[in-house]
C-alpha cells in the first residue's frame, strides 16, 4: 500500500542547501593578464585579508617572440596563437563578469615594430584592451609580488625576474626599515620606485636594470653554437657582461643580511628538479630556499642529460625544455656575481604584482602580516 501524501506544510520536501561554495561577487573580483615573449598568463582573484584568493587562472605557451630576434617583427603564426589564447582569457573574464583588470604586454611588444598593429588587432578580435608597459613598471610589479617572501632579517634585497625577452633586476636597501615592517615596505613600492612622502619607513631602491636578454632572446642569440656545454658557458658569460651598468654589480656587498629572490619559470623548474617532483606542486616550490651548491648540482645534471635527455625529463616539461639552459645560464651568472649562497624561490611574478598593485591602490587589502 502506497504511503499517503502529507498535507499542509509537510506536503513539499524541505529544500536542501547546496554544499557548493557560492560564486564570488563580481564587484569584488580583479584580473591580471601578463602577455610575455613566451607565455600568456592570467589570474582572476578576490581580496582576502592581506592576500588574495585565486578564483580562476590561465596559462599558455604562445611563443609570441618567435623569430623576433632576426626579423624585428611579430610573426603571423605567433600573433595567431596569441589571439587564440586571449580569446580564452576574454571568455573567462566575461563568465566571471570581471570589471577591474589590467592586461599588459612586455618585452616582445616593446621591441616589435608591428606591436601597435598587433594590439589593435587584439582589441578588434577579442575586445581586450592591452597596454604595453615600460621596463621600470615591469620590474616594480615583479618586486611587489615577492613582498611576502622577504625576510625580516633582510637588509639588502635583490629581486630577479627572468622573463622570456628580458630580465629585470632591482636592488633594494631595507636598513632603515624596522625588521617587522620590511615585507610591507616592499608592497608600498606599488606607487613607484621614486621616494614619496609617506608616514611609514620606506624601502630605498638603490638601482634597477632591465637587461634585454631573457630565456628566449638569449637562446636565440647563441642558436648557432652546436656544442651544448659551450653554448651554456657563452650564454652565462654574455649575460654577466650585460650587468656592467648595474651599480651594485661593481661594489663589494656584505654577505650578512643579503637576500636574492628569484621569480621565473626557470627558477621554479630548477627548484622542482632539486626536489625531484615528477608533478609540479606550487606549495612545495613557492618560498623554497636553495643553496648555490644545490642550484649548481641541478644545472650540471641538465648538462649531463644533454638536449635529448632534457626533452624526456618530466621534471622539466615540454614547454620549458627548450628554454631551461638559457634560463639556467642567467641564474648561474647571478649566483656567481653576488655574495650569497641562498636563493629564495618565488612562484609568482607580474600577474601577482598587478593584482597587489590594483588592490593596494583601491585600499581593499587589510593590514597585517603576510
Amino acid at each position: 500500500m502506497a504511503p499517503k501524501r502529507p498535507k499542509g506544510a509537510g506536503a513539499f520536501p524541505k529544500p536542501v542547501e547546496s554544499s557548493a561554495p557560492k560564486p564570488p561577487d563580481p564587484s569584488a573580483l580583479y584580473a591580471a593578464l601578463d602577455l610575455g615573449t613566451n607565455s600568456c598568463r592570467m589570474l582572476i582573484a578576490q581580496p582576502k585579508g592581506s592576500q588574495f584568493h585565486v578564483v580562476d587562472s590561465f596559462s599558455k605557451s604562445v611563443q609570441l617572440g618567435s623569430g623576433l630576434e632576426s626579423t624585428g617583427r611579430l610573426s603571423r603564426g605567433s600573433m595567431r596563437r596569441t589571439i587564440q589564447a586571449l580569446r580564452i582569457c576574454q571568455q573567462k573574464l566575461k563568465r566571471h563578469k570581471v570589471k577591474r583588470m589590467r592586461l599588459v604586454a612586455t618585452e616582445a611588444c616593446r621591441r616589435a615594430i608591428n606591436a601597435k598593429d598587433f594590439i589593435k588587432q587584439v582589441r578588434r578580435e577579442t575586445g581586450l584592451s592591452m597596454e604595453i608597459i615600460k621596463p621600470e613598471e615591469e620590474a616594480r610589479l615583479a618586486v611587489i609580488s615577492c613582498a611576502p617572501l622577504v625576510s625580516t632579517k633582510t637588509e639588502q634585497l635583490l629581486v630577479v625576474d627572468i622573463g622570456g625577452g628580458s630580465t629585470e633586476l632591482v636592488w633594494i636597501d631595507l636598513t632603515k626599515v624596522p625588521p617587522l615592517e620590511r615585507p610591507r615596505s616592499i608592497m608600498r613600492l606599488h606607487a613607484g620606485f621614486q621616494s614619496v612622502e609617506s608616514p611609514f619607513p620606506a624601502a630605498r631602491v638603490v638601482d634597477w636594470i632591465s637587461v634585454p636578454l631573457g630565456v628566449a632572446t638569449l637562446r636565440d642569440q647563441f642558436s648557432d653554437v652546436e656544442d651544448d656545454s659551450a653554448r651554456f658557458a657563452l650564454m652565462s658569460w654574455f649575460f654577466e657582461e650585460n650587468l656592467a651598468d648595474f651599480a651594485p654589480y661593481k661594489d663589494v656587498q656584505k654577505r650578512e643580511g643579503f637576500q636574492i629572490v628569484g621569480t621565473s619559470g626557470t627558477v621554479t623548474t630548477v627548484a622542482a628538479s632539486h626536489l625531484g617532483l615528477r608533478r609540479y606542486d606550487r606549495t612545495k616550490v613557492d618560498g623554497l630556499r636553495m643553496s648555490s651548491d644545490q642550484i649548481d648540482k641541478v644545472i650540471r645534471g641538465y648538462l649531463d642529460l644533454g638536449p635529448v635527455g632534457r626533452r624526456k625529463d618530466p621534471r622539466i616539461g615540454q614547454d620549458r625544455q627548450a628554454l631551461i639552459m638559457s634560463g639556467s645560464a642567467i641564474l648561474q651568472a647571478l649566483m656567481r656575481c653576488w655574495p650569497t649562497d641562498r636563493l629564495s624561490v618565488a612562484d609568482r611574478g607580474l600577474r601577482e604584482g598587478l593584482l597587489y598593485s590594483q588592490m593596494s591602490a583601491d585600499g581593499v587589502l587589510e593590514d597585517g602580516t603576510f
Side-chain angles (χ1 to χ4, degrees), residues 28 30 45-54 356 359 364-366 369-370:
Y30 290 77
Q46 59 183 348
K48 188 175 182 180
S50 60
Q51 298 280 322
F52 55 76
H53 169 69
V54 175
Y356 279 134
M359 293 175 184
V364 296
L365 293 176
E366 296 176 6
T369 55
F370 284 105

Side-chain angles (χ1 to χ4, degrees), residues 78-95:
S78 64
M79 290 191 291
R80 184 173 61 251
R81 288 191 300 272
T82 302
I83 288 175
Q84 287 172 349
L86 290 171
R87 284 198 182 103
I88 298 173
C89 294
Q90 188 271 338
Q91 290 165 5
K92 287 177 176 283
L93 291 167
K94 185 177 180 180
R95 183 164 67 247

Side-chain angles (χ1 to χ4, degrees), residues 139-140 143 154-161 168-175 186 189 193 203-210 243 246-261 334 337-340:
R140 176 170 56 81
V143 167
T154 298
E155 296 183 348
Q156 302 293 328
L157 173 69
L158 176 65
V159 176
V160 180
D161 181 17
E168 279 67 46
L169 294 88
V170 185
W171 193 287
I172 301 168
D173 183 352
L174 294 168
T175 52
I186 300 298
L189 291 172
F193 280 165
R204 184 175 71 89
V205 176
V206 177
D207 196 13
W208 71 275
I209 188 172
S210 180
L243 295 176
F246 188 48
Y249 176 77
K250 304 168 186 175
D251 303 328
V252 176
Q253 304 293 335
K254 290 191 303 181
R255 179 180 292 267
E256 188 177 349
F258 177 74
Q259 182 182 11
I260 295 183
V261 177
L334 296 172
C337 291
W338 282 290
T340 183

Side-chain angles (χ1 to χ4, degrees), residues 124-345:
R124 189 169 59 249
E125 297 191 23
T126 69
L128 299 179
S129 298
M130 303 287 302
E131 58 175 311
I132 303 172
I133 59 172
K134 293 180 179 179
E136 180 175 347
E137 182 165 17
E138 183 176 0
R140 176 170 56 81
L141 291 167
V143 167
I144 63 175
S145 76
C146 296
L149 300 182
V150 175
S151 168
T152 55
K153 297 178 180 179
T154 298
E155 296 183 348
Q156 302 293 328
L157 173 69
L158 176 65
V159 176
V160 180
D161 181 17
I162 306 172
S166 64
T167 298
E168 279 67 46
L169 294 88
V170 185
W171 193 287
I172 301 168
D173 183 352
L174 294 168
T175 52
K176 294 185 178 179
V177 181
L180 293 179
E181 275 291 305
R182 286 170 183 172
R184 188 159 294 283
S185 72
I186 300 298
M187 182 69 77
R188 295 190 189 107
L189 291 172
H190 76 86
F193 280 165
Q194 303 304 317
S195 298
V196 292
E197 291 294 326
S198 171
F200 305 103
R204 184 175 71 89
V205 176
V206 177
D207 196 13
W208 71 275
I209 188 172
S210 180
V211 181
L213 293 169
V215 292
T217 46
L218 184 60
R219 175 201 60 186
D220 291 348
Q221 290 218 15
F222 291 89
S223 59
D224 59 336
V225 181
E226 293 184 6
D227 183 80
D228 195 44
S229 297
R231 183 169 59 249
F232 174 79
L234 286 168
M235 288 190 295
S236 188
W237 165 79
F238 185 63
F239 183 83
E240 185 176 344
E241 268 204 333
N242 279 265
L243 295 176
D245 293 333
F246 188 48
Y249 176 77
K250 304 168 186 175
D251 303 328
V252 176
Q253 304 293 335
K254 290 191 303 181
R255 179 180 292 267
E256 188 177 349
F258 177 74
Q259 182 182 11
I260 295 183
V261 177
T263 170
S264 71
T266 294
V267 175
T268 56
T269 300
V270 168
S273 294
H274 164 65
L275 294 173
L277 300 180
R278 299 184 71 83
R279 188 183 185 93
Y280 187 78
D281 186 342
R282 184 184 188 273
T283 61
K284 294 180 179 178
V285 170
D286 188 48
L288 176 72
R289 298 188 73 193
M290 295 184 67
S291 70
S292 53
D293 287 344
Q294 289 168 337
I295 292 169
D296 285 340
K297 183 179 178 181
V298 171
I299 294 174
R300 285 197 306 272
Y302 290 161
L303 286 168
D304 291 342
L305 284 172
V308 175
R310 293 195 293 270
R311 279 195 291 271
K312 295 178 180 178
D313 192 325
R315 301 169 305 168
I316 299 174
Q318 288 298 311
D319 286 349
R320 183 61 48 184
Q321 56 86 17
L323 304 168
I324 190 59
M325 294 318 297
S326 50
S328 295
I330 293 171
L331 183 57
Q332 192 179 72
L334 296 172
M335 297 302 289
R336 189 168 60 237
C337 291
W338 282 290
T340 183
D341 57 2
R342 292 280 171 182
L343 172 78
S344 299
V345 179

